Amino acid sequence: MDDAVIKHQLYLLRFKLMHFVNSIHNYLMTRILHTTSLEFQDDFNRATDLDGVLSAHENYLTKVLQRCLLHDKVSLVREAVVKVLNIALVFQRKWDAGIHTFSDDSITKMESEFNNCSVFLSTMLINMTKRGAFPHLAALSFSLASLQQSTTSPPSK
């Protein structure tokens, strides 16, 4: 394959991986940790005794556990996220070593694994948010779905 084509494929895959990682980071930091911390602060301020403080803290930890994809109910989502993060890690190591370390097969394999996980996550998150069971996942669902749509849309002429 031509070097220019390989570079183009690598830059596209790199963009997709960076978008994914940034989406996960943004979801965790702004949608979950920040807002959940604000909720905890309100609960803490309303506490009138030690039991109220302990209850507020326990509630906070439960919410963080559930919303940060650490709950068993979202284990499939967590596994897919971890798989994409591992793909990103392998990609970055190869990228740092130079593009000559990428073979056509390795690029194709990474793209295929990423696309499979991305489609799975988009579909799963959309379905979960439609059911209303996990409303906090809506922003992440939208972000990952927008990545999926941008990578599957035919190029404009």
Side-chain angles (χ1 to χ4, degrees):
M1 198 181 301
D2 183 6
D3 276 353
V5 173
I6 289 175
K7 282 183 182 179
H8 181 72
Q9 278 185 299
L10 289 174
Y11 278 111
L12 288 175
L13 181 56
R14 185 171 186 245
F15 168 78
K16 292 176 194 177
L17 291 169
M18 287 184 347
H19 178 85
F20 182 89
V21 170
N22 286 332
S23 295
I24 295 295
H25 180 264
N26 186 50
Y27 165 76
L28 292 173
M29 298 307 290
T30 61
R31 179 68 181 130
I32 302 307
L33 295 178
H34 178 71
T35 57
T36 306
S37 294
L38 293 175
E39 292 170 6
F40 169 70
Q41 195 69 340
D42 288 343
D43 292 345
F44 179 82
N45 290 337
R46 281 194 299 270
T48 57
D49 57 10
L50 182 58
D51 286 336
V53 171
L54 292 174
S55 176
H57 187 256
E58 185 175 329
N59 187 33
Y60 169 74
L61 293 177
T62 300
K63 285 180 181 179
V64 168
L65 179 76
Q66 290 173 346
R67 295 175 181 178
C68 285
L69 307 177
L70 299 173
H71 195 275
D72 288 341
K73 291 180 181 179
V74 292
S75 63
L76 292 175
V77 173
R78 180 181 57 247
E79 289 171 19
V81 167
V82 168
K83 186 171 185 171
V84 173
L85 293 175
N86 284 329
I87 292 168
L89 184 61
V90 169
F91 180 91
Q92 186 60 44
R93 287 182 179 155
K94 286 177 156 289
W95 182 270
D96 289 344
I99 65 166
H100 65 280
T101 59
F102 289 95
S103 66
D104 293 343
D105 290 339
S106 69
I107 297 169
T108 302
K109 182 179 177 190
M110 282 186 204
E111 284 178 330
S112 176
E113 287 179 8
F114 173 80
N115 289 335
N116 289 341
C117 287
S118 182
V119 167
F120 170 78
L121 282 168
S122 293
T123 304
M124 183 76 129
L125 292 173
I126 287 169
N127 289 336
M128 291 170 81
T129 55
K130 280 183 181 176
R131 281 186 272 144
F134 301 94
H136 58 277
L137 290 172
L140 180 61
S141 171
F142 177 75
S143 182
L144 296 180
S146 69
L147 173 65
Q148 188 59 37
Q149 290 170 353
S150 70
T151 59
T152 58
S153 299
S156 57
K157 295 185 181 186

